[in-house]
Amino acid sequence: MRTRVAIIGAGPAGLLLAHLLDAAGIDSVLIERQNAEHVAARIRAGILEAGSVDLLRRAGLGERLAREGMEHRGIHLQWPNERHHLDFVDLIGRSVWVYGQTEVTKDLLAARERAGQAAFYAASEVTAHEIDGERPYVAFVDAAGRPRRVDAEIVVGCDGYHGPSKQAIPDALRHTWERNYPFAWLGVLADVEPSTDELIYAWHPDGFALHSMRSRTVSRFYLQVTPDENIGDWSDDRIWDNLATRFALDGWTLKTGAITEKSVLPMRSFVTTPLRHGRLFLAGDAGHIVPPTGAKGLNLAIADVALLSRALIAWLRDGDTAPAATYSDTALERVWRCTHFSWWMTTMLHRHGDDFDARLQLSQLRRVVGSRSAATELAENYAGLPMPGLD
C-alpha cells in the first residue's frame, strides 16, 4: 500500500492530523496498536484551551462541542477555609472548555469514517523504516495476523510514550529529559451532578484534590496519593470522605453519587528531542508528557498537529520544506513553556516536603489570588499561549 503520510497512532493527535491533511487533499493511512473501541473509550484529559477550540471549529469539528461542551471563564483555587475564583475572561479575554478527550476522539473517528481513508487497528510489531531516505515505510502485522507494509513520503509518530516511533531516531541523536513525581492521582468518575460551576484546585495538608466534570451529570475527581497506591484500599466511602475533607468550606456541600470508575495515574514530565529526524516527525505524547495539573497534555498534542499539518501541507502540496525544517524547534518552544507551567502548578498544589515547603506553597497561592499580574500569568498559560505559526 502507498500513501503520502503514514501515521502511527490513532489517538487524538493522529486522527486530527489525518483530518487536517485530508482537508488539504493529502491522503494518509493510520496504523494503531489498539482496536477502535479501545481508542474511543480512553478517558483522559477534559479541558480544551481557547486555541484548541478555535482549531477544532475551523476544522469543522465544533458542532457537538458547541452543543455539549461547557465553557468556563476560569478556575477556583482553594486552601483550608478559603476559595478564590480566577476569571480568565476578565484577566486575558479567553476562556477554556470542558469537553473530554473521549468526546474529541469520537468526533475525529466519525470524521475519519466519513473521509473513507484507510486505517489499520489492532496492529502489532509496528516499526518505521528508511526514515533517513526518500522512501520511508511502516511495517506491521494486521489484526488478522498478516504482514503489511505501507510506503509513504512522510511518517508521523503519534503513538504515545510507549510507542515505537521515537525509538526509530538514532540513540546518538535522541535526547530525553524526565522527572518522576513522588505522588500520583487517584481518579474517580461519578454519576453525580457537579458541585461546582468551574474546576476547584484544592491544596490541603492531607494532599491535593481536584473537582472537575465531564458533563452536567457526570463529575470527575482526583485525590493525591502515592505512586504505589493500592486502589483496592480505596472504598467508595473512603473516597467521598477524603474528598469532603479536602474540599471542605463553610456554606458549600459536596454532592455524592455512584462511582463508576477508579484508577491511579502516576505523574511525570518527559521531553524527547528532536521531534523530527529525516522523514519521521513526532507529535503529542510520543515527544512529550506533562503532569495533568495544568491541563496541557491534549492541548499540546493539538498544537503540535496544527503546526505539523501546515508544515506537511507546505512540503507535499507546495514543495516548500522550510516549515518542516523548523517544526521541531518551533514546537519545542511551546513544549518547554507548557512543561514548566505544568511543573509549577504541580509543585504549588501537591503536598510534599515538610512544613517549610507547605508555607512556601501557601505563600505562592496567596500571591496568585492577590496579585492581578500573578493571576494573569496563570490565566495566560492555563487558557493557552499563542504559538508562532499558528496564529
Side-chain angles (χ1 to χ4, degrees):
M1 176 179 285
R2 289 202 60 84
T3 190
R4 303 207 74 185
V5 181
I7 303 172
I8 304 174
L15 286 165
L16 180 58
L17 178 61
H19 180 78
L20 296 175
L21 293 176
D22 182 62
I26 297 171
D27 64 282
S28 62
V29 172
L30 286 164
I31 303 154
E32 165 63 45
R33 66 185 181 91
Q34 302 288 355
N35 60 46
E37 292 75 18
H38 184 276
V39 171
R42 282 188 292 216
I43 296 177
R44 299 282 177 82
I47 299 295
L48 291 177
E49 296 174 357
S52 297
V53 171
D54 289 344
L55 175 63
L56 293 171
R57 286 172 171 164
R58 292 199 307 267
L61 298 164
E63 180 182 350
R64 200 163 66 90
L65 190 161
R67 187 173 66 251
E68 300 180 17
M70 294 179 287
E71 186 175 12
H72 284 189
R73 293 180 61 98
I75 61 172
H76 299 278
L77 290 179
Q78 177 175 327
W79 56 93
N81 303 314
E82 295 191 40
R83 182 179 296 169
H84 300 267
H85 184 246
L86 298 186
D87 191 317
F88 298 164
V89 177
D90 175 59
L91 290 165
I92 61 170
R94 297 198 304 279
S95 61
V96 295
W97 284 73
V98 175
Y99 192 66
Q101 178 174 314
T102 311
E103 306 310 315
V104 175
T105 302
K106 288 177 183 176
D107 296 340
L108 287 164
L109 285 169
R112 184 66 177 181
E113 186 175 349
R114 290 193 298 270
Q117 295 202 28
F120 293 91
Y121 289 92
S124 60
E125 301 179 35
V126 182
T127 51
H129 299 271
E130 305 296 336
I131 60 172
D132 290 310
E134 296 184 358
R135 298 179 178 178
Y137 67 93
V138 177
F140 61 98
V141 177
D142 68 18
R146 295 185 296 261
R148 294 273 191 168
R149 169 172 166 159
V150 176
D151 292 275
E153 297 173 57
I154 301 292
V155 175
V156 180
C158 300
D159 48 345
Y161 179 80
H162 298 289
S165 295
K166 66 176 178 287
Q167 307 301 329
I169 300 175
D171 290 343
L173 301 177
R174 180 162 41 92
H175 302 278
T176 61
W177 291 263
E178 189 165 9
R179 169 156 298 176
N180 292 303
Y181 294 88
F183 33 75
W185 278 7
L186 171 63
V188 173
L189 204 63
D191 286 338
V192 60
E193 177 187 356
S195 305
T196 177
D197 57 340
E198 295 178 343
L199 275 67
I200 304 171
Y201 287 78
W203 182 97
H204 192 273
D206 292 349
F208 169 74
L210 172 61
H211 187 333
S212 183
M213 62 276 290
R214 282 296 176 264
S215 71
R216 293 168 180 81
T217 59
V218 177
S219 296
R220 185 76 163 156
F221 301 96
Y222 297 97
L223 286 165
Q224 178 184 343
V225 295
T226 61
D228 60 352
E229 197 75 32
N230 180 0
I231 199 167
D233 292 338
W234 286 84
S235 66
D236 291 5
D237 287 344
R238 184 186 178 191
I239 289 170
W240 288 122
D241 287 346
N242 272 265
L243 288 169
T245 297
R246 299 185 198 188
F247 288 126
L249 191 70
D250 286 346
W252 180 86
T253 302
L254 176 68
K255 300 172 185 175
T256 63
I259 292 177
T260 59
E261 180 188 294
K262 305 175 190 177
S263 60
V264 174
L265 174 67
M267 304 184 72
R268 65 173 176 268
S269 297
F270 169 85
V271 180
T272 187
T273 63
L275 299 180
R276 183 257 175 113
H277 176 67
R279 290 186 176 236
L280 171 69
F281 296 80
L282 303 179
D285 287 359
H288 42 77
I289 291 176
V290 291
T293 323
K296 296 294 105 182
L298 175 58
N299 294 292
L300 263 181
I302 291 173
D304 283 354
V305 167
L307 189 67
L308 181 56
S309 64
R310 294 189 180 190
L312 297 185
I313 290 166
W315 182 349
L316 298 175
R317 191 179 65 186
D318 307 325
D320 180 6
T321 60
T326 59
Y327 164 72
S328 181
D329 288 343
T330 305
L332 284 167
E333 289 181 15
R334 186 185 183 96
V335 167
W336 279 114
R337 171 89 294 276
C338 291
T339 298
H340 176 269
F341 175 67
S342 300
W343 165 85
W344 178 77
M345 285 281 285
T346 301
T347 53
M348 176 175 66
L349 287 161
H350 288 75
R351 188 71 174 90
H352 62 92
D354 55 19
D355 287 341
F356 183 84
D357 295 288
R359 294 298 103 190
L360 294 178
Q361 290 174 312
L362 290 168
S363 175
Q364 181 64 68
L365 285 164
R366 291 188 177 100
R367 168 67 179 172
V368 169
V369 303
S371 162
R372 186 173 181 88
S373 60
T376 299
E377 176 68 10
L378 187 153
E380 286 181 339
N381 283 274
Y382 195 102
L385 294 170
M387 184 175 184
L390 295 184
D391 299 289

